[in-house]
Amino acid sequence: MRVIADFRSRDVAAGGQGAPLAPAFHSVMFANAAEDRVVLNLGGMANVTWIAADGAVAGFDTGPGNCLMDLWAQKHLGKPRDENGAWAAAARADARLLEDLLAEPFFALPPPKSTGRDLFNEAWLGRKLTPALDPQAVEATLLELTASSVAQALRRHFPGARRLIACGGGVRNGALMARLEQLLSPVPVDSSTQHGIEPTQIEAAAFAWLAQQALQGKPGNLPAVTGARGARVLGAIYPP
């Protein structure tokens, strides 16, 4: 069986950031000629894809998705995640801490941009914390950080959005989804399930699509998203 891997290198070689790569797939799956849409992927990091009714596509990473919330839940609950956001929902976000977190320069950078755990990690968070902070309030603040950074990015760059379609593991965090609905109202916030694909299957489907593009010799990146000098066929094909 052939294996297709290393999807980012050719985009990077063309001057791009090698991420995010999902927007090309999002545009294939979720475009609608009747309305401008945003697809939000809530993985470890959060990224957005703008899909205009006229077919224009843009996208970038907005910042942390689940990574900091999961890290904090593991540290203080001994669990891989704050299930459904229940722990965070029972506390109040700390306004001063949230302000400090949102002061991170990445949030103000113009797209194209991408990020990862090389920036948003335990050391980064630790530099923002004080011993007096209640751990549960920190979790609530981290949830608010994800929701607020997404909402700010949409207001700044995609104010014409008429619908948001959310995917990724973060869709299972009910408290996070509820907060996004509050911050983005009156824009509807849908799960990708409502559009035919289960939220946690989107990333696997996206890379399967990228593999298909590679086998057919078709580009898989979007230069407007990654900053590459042009479209590139992505991935290295390894024979059986």
Side-chain angles (χ1 to χ4, degrees), residues 10-201:
R10 286 179 181 165
D11 185 87
V12 172
Q17 299 193 23
L21 295 181
F25 175 72
H26 292 163
S27 67
V28 170
M29 295 303 300
F30 299 114
N32 187 297
E35 63 182 9
D36 297 335
R37 294 176 163 184
V38 169
V39 177
L40 168 64
N41 176 48
L42 290 166
M45 297 298 145
N47 58 70
V48 290
T49 302
W50 163 260
I51 311 171
D54 65 6
V57 181
F60 57 91
D61 287 352
T62 62
N66 306 310
C67 65
L68 296 176
M69 291 185 287
D70 290 351
L71 181 157
W72 200 248
Q74 178 66 51
K75 186 179 181 71
H76 291 277
L77 299 178
K79 300 177 180 179
R81 68 187 66 85
D82 174 16
E83 199 66 43
N84 203 37
W87 192 45
R92 179 174 295 182
D94 184 280
R96 179 170 295 181
L97 174 60
L98 179 63
E99 182 179 357
D100 288 346
L101 297 175
L102 286 171
E104 165 58 45
F106 172 82
F107 295 119
L109 290 176
K113 61 179 181 177
S114 63
T115 190
R117 287 177 173 83
D118 53 325
L119 173 59
F120 294 107
N121 53 36
E122 186 171 10
W124 179 85
L125 178 59
R127 290 192 294 270
K128 312 288 186 179
L129 300 180
T130 61
L133 287 167
D134 173 61
Q136 191 172 6
V138 173
E139 183 76 359
T141 308
L142 295 176
L143 185 149
E144 186 68 21
L145 172 66
T146 293
S148 293
S149 56
V150 168
Q152 288 180 10
L154 265 58
R155 285 194 294 266
R156 184 177 302 153
H157 299 286
F158 308 133
R162 293 294 174 263
R163 183 175 307 277
L164 183 138
I165 301 171
C167 60
V171 174
R172 295 179 174 175
N173 185 325
L176 176 59
M177 292 293 288
R179 186 61 179 140
L180 284 167
E181 289 177 356
Q182 291 173 347
L183 291 173
L184 296 175
S185 178
V187 176
V189 176
D190 296 346
S191 163
S192 64
T193 302
Q194 297 168 252
H195 298 266
I197 306 182
E198 204 278 329
T200 58
Q201 294 177 358

